[in-house]
Amino acid sequence: MAAQPNHTLRTVFVTGLQNAHAVEHQALSLLDRQLDRLVRYPEIADRLRSHRVETEDQIRRLDDILGSLGERSSTFKDLALGFMGNIAALTHVPAADEVLKNQFVNAAFENFEIASYTSLVALAEASDLPTTAALLNETLKEEIAMAAWVQDSVPALTRKYVDLRAGGGSASR
């Protein structure tokens, strides 16, 4: 017998929420490793700190949504993606242009989150959960704003990096 459409929708939605929860833990790891190392780029560090607070709020929203559905996050996924976030951030450490590479990764990561939350909003709407859709839309808007900031910051960051290198100093972070 085929699965009920609403059962399939719920299963896909809960899995997506658990995946987003894990991705937010990965984001925290990426942000923390970058913040540990940013020295010459306080404008980047300030925005990353602000987004870290948003990310913690996003995790709480996801916990609330999962709880309202009688579900919870996947500890395994949270730990696995958190670990992968640490590894990903550390791969750029030896690079002379670490700060640029990290910003490029941030751009890709934010756009991945935008796609994920766009999907979750569609699932919440299809599940007739308007309050949940509103919470997910709040996160989506934050991710869109962060992605725009990251993208907009690349030219100035690149120029600052080149200026620091030209001045003979370390510019990697």
Side-chain angles (χ1 to χ4, degrees):
M1 180 172 185
Q4 297 286 334
N6 59 351
H7 173 74
T8 301
L9 178 61
R10 182 180 177 7
T11 300
V12 171
F13 187 44
V14 168
T15 299
L17 291 166
Q18 290 170 331
N19 291 342
H21 194 277
V23 166
E24 295 301 350
H25 279 275
Q26 184 178 20
L28 287 177
S29 295
L30 285 167
L31 291 167
D32 288 344
R33 293 303 71 76
Q34 289 179 48
L35 286 168
D36 288 346
R37 299 185 52 76
L38 281 170
V39 176
R40 290 168 191 78
Y41 303 90
E43 65 283 7
I44 302 296
D46 288 346
R47 185 60 179 101
L48 293 182
R49 271 189 217 91
S50 174
H51 192 55
R52 191 186 192 294
V53 171
E54 287 177 338
T55 301
E56 290 170 342
D57 289 342
Q58 293 165 358
I59 290 170
R60 279 191 283 281
R61 276 184 220 127
L62 289 166
D63 284 334
D64 290 346
I65 293 166
L66 284 163
S68 75
L69 298 171
E71 301 287 346
R72 59 189 181 117
S73 61
S74 167
T75 302
F76 174 76
K77 287 179 184 181
D78 288 352
L79 291 173
L81 287 184
F83 175 76
M84 288 171 49
N86 278 316
I87 297 301
L90 292 173
T91 61
H92 297 151
V93 169
D97 60 348
E98 172 186 1
V99 70
L100 294 176
K101 283 183 170 49
N102 283 341
Q103 202 68 337
F104 303 159
V105 166
N106 291 342
F109 197 85
E110 292 304 323
N111 281 286
F112 178 85
E113 288 181 302
I114 289 168
S116 296
Y117 283 104
T118 300
S119 176
L120 288 171
V121 168
L123 291 167
E125 289 171 348
S127 299
D128 195 28
L129 298 169
T131 303
T132 299
L135 290 171
L136 293 167
N137 262 314
E138 187 176 343
T139 297
L140 177 59
K141 288 175 187 172
E142 291 167 351
E143 298 299 357
I144 289 169
M146 184 62 180
W149 176 84
V150 170
Q151 189 64 39
D152 292 347
S153 74
V154 170
L157 175 63
T158 302
R159 287 189 295 272
K160 183 174 181 176
Y161 171 79
V162 170
D163 289 346
L164 287 169
R165 288 278 309 260
S170 173
S172 68
R173 53 184 177 190

